[in-house]
């Protein structure tokens, strides 16, 4: 895979071509940390010694690649600061999935918890950063469908919330829940497994059968709507209707 550090250097050069002080938005996808995690990797040979030798080799290879991603973020932050625009820039970072190619037992050993339990392997970070922001940590359950509404509201962007399945993570009305592709779901109360039709509780609070059924029906409807929008190219249809 290409070097994310080199990519950020090229990105800054492209940023310099931007006219004046016009606002800008960039979508940057990192690639260096992608599979496969073999010890023949040039990044492992360069950075492998930085990491605990007691960890499995695939985890150490992965971490050596994350070192390059970390370097890339440093290049980006330093470059924005040198150009005097870091304080006026917001950076949102999220991971779209866990590292598939690492054996689950090796990954669980490195993380220190059972990743096979209750879809724990799908825990990935989401960070919103600005140099002047006060640090806050949010522990609500969420998925990537909430990212756009959250950022839109932070920037005061007007949008039609009816065409988004997600909602603003920072709103008082936000309902903390993570919905998985197989219709299972998880929140502070517990984990519902669609494959076994069973509920595992984390607290003394428990749902009634009617409450679980209502949650499942709502999730089934959202997943159906999401699939139908893609299969029927709904947003292309909507765009044509808006123009007419």
């Amino acid at each position: 895979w290409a070097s994310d550090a080199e990519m950020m250097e090229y990105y800054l050069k492209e940023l310099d071509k931007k006219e004046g002080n016009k606002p800008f938005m960039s979508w940057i996808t990192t690639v260096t940390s992608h599979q496969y995690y073999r010890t023949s990797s040039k990044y492992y040979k360069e950075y492998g010694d930085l990491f605990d030798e007691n960890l499995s080799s695939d985890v150490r290879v992965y971490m050596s690649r994350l070192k390059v991603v970390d370097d890339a973020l440093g290049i980006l932050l330093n470059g924005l600061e040198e150009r005097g625009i870091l304080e006026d820039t917001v950076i949102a970072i999220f991971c779209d999935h866990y590292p598939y190619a690492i054996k689950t037992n090796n990954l669980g050993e490195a993380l220190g918890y059972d990743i096979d339990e209750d879809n724990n392997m799908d825990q990935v970070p989401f960070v919103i950063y600005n140099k002047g922001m006060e640090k806050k940590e949010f522990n609500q359950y969420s998925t990537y469908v909430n990212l756009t509404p959250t950022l839109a509201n932070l920037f005061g962007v007007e949008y039609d919330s009816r065409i988004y399945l997600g909602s603003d993570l920072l709103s008082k009305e936000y309902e903390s829940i993570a919905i998985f592709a197989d219709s299972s779901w998880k929140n502070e109360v517990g984990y519902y497994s669609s494959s076994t039709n069973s509920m595992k509780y984390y607290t003394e609070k428990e749902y009634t059968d009617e409450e679980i059924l209502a949650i499942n029906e709502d999730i089934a409807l959202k997943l159906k709507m999401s699939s139908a929008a893609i299969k029927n190219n709904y947003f292309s249809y909507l765009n044509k209707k808006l123009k007419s």
Side-chain angles (χ1 to χ4, degrees):
W1 288 98
S3 166
D4 290 331
E6 292 180 8
M7 176 186 66
M8 286 300 184
E9 292 173 352
Y10 280 105
Y11 169 74
L12 291 170
K13 291 178 182 178
E14 289 299 313
L15 195 61
D16 289 336
K17 298 177 183 178
K18 186 175 66 69
E19 296 181 6
N21 294 318
K22 293 181 180 179
F24 65 94
M25 192 280 285
S26 300
W27 175 283
I28 304 173
T29 303
T30 61
V31 297
T32 307
S33 58
H34 282 64
Q35 60 182 350
Y36 290 94
Y37 306 117
R38 302 188 178 102
T39 53
S40 58
S41 163
K42 68 175 183 178
Y43 302 116
Y44 178 72
K45 292 177 180 178
E46 190 169 355
Y47 302 119
D49 291 341
L50 297 175
F51 306 104
D52 189 348
E53 62 181 12
N54 294 316
L55 294 173
S56 62
S57 62
D58 51 0
V59 170
R60 282 185 286 128
V61 173
Y62 177 59
M63 294 177 75
S64 69
R65 294 184 175 210
L66 288 180
K67 169 68 168 63
V68 182
V69 180
D70 187 59
D71 289 344
L73 289 172
I75 291 169
L76 175 64
L77 293 172
N78 290 335
L80 293 173
E81 189 154 42
E82 289 171 359
R83 288 159 178 79
I85 55 176
L86 179 60
E87 292 185 0
D88 197 34
T89 300
V90 174
I91 299 173
I93 305 172
F94 77 97
C95 304
D96 55 347
H97 60 80
Y98 67 93
Y100 299 137
I102 295 181
K103 294 179 180 179
T104 54
N105 59 322
N106 292 343
L107 190 59
E109 181 182 356
L111 292 171
Y113 57 81
D114 186 356
I115 64 172
D116 288 322
E117 182 180 13
D118 305 345
N119 276 345
N120 280 336
M121 66 178 63
D122 285 324
Q123 293 186 52
V124 292
F126 172 44
V127 178
I128 301 175
Y129 171 81
N130 172 263
K131 187 176 180 180
M133 288 176 65
E134 177 186 350
K135 181 181 178 181
K136 291 184 179 180
E137 185 174 333
F138 297 87
N139 296 308
Q140 292 97 328
Y141 286 83
S142 176
T143 59
Y144 58 85
V145 296
N146 299 313
L147 303 192
T148 298
T150 301
L151 292 170
N153 278 338
L154 276 175
F155 281 90
V157 176
E158 291 186 11
Y159 68 99
D160 189 341
S161 62
R162 295 175 299 175
I163 63 174
Y164 288 86
L165 288 176
S167 55
D168 180 7
L169 289 166
L170 306 180
S171 69
K172 294 180 180 179
E173 293 78 25
Y174 175 70
E175 180 184 2
S176 176
I177 189 170
I179 299 171
F180 302 99
D182 66 351
S183 300
S184 298
W185 51 271
K186 190 175 188 179
N187 62 13
E188 287 81 0
V189 176
Y191 171 73
Y192 173 80
S193 170
S194 63
S195 61
T196 61
N197 190 27
S198 61
M199 188 79 199
K200 175 182 177 181
Y201 290 100
Y202 304 142
T203 66
E204 294 181 358
K205 173 183 169 67
E206 294 188 6
Y207 293 114
T208 64
D209 291 343
E210 291 75 18
E211 288 174 324
I212 292 177
L213 180 61
I215 295 172
N216 287 341
E217 288 179 343
D218 180 63
I219 288 173
L221 178 60
K222 288 180 177 179
L223 291 174
K224 183 178 180 180
M225 290 171 62
S226 177
S227 178
I230 296 170
K231 289 180 179 179
N232 296 294
N233 204 9
Y234 170 70
F235 290 103
S236 176
Y237 162 81
L238 179 63
N239 187 48
K240 291 178 182 177
K241 294 293 288 186
L242 289 172
K243 287 182 178 179
S244 64

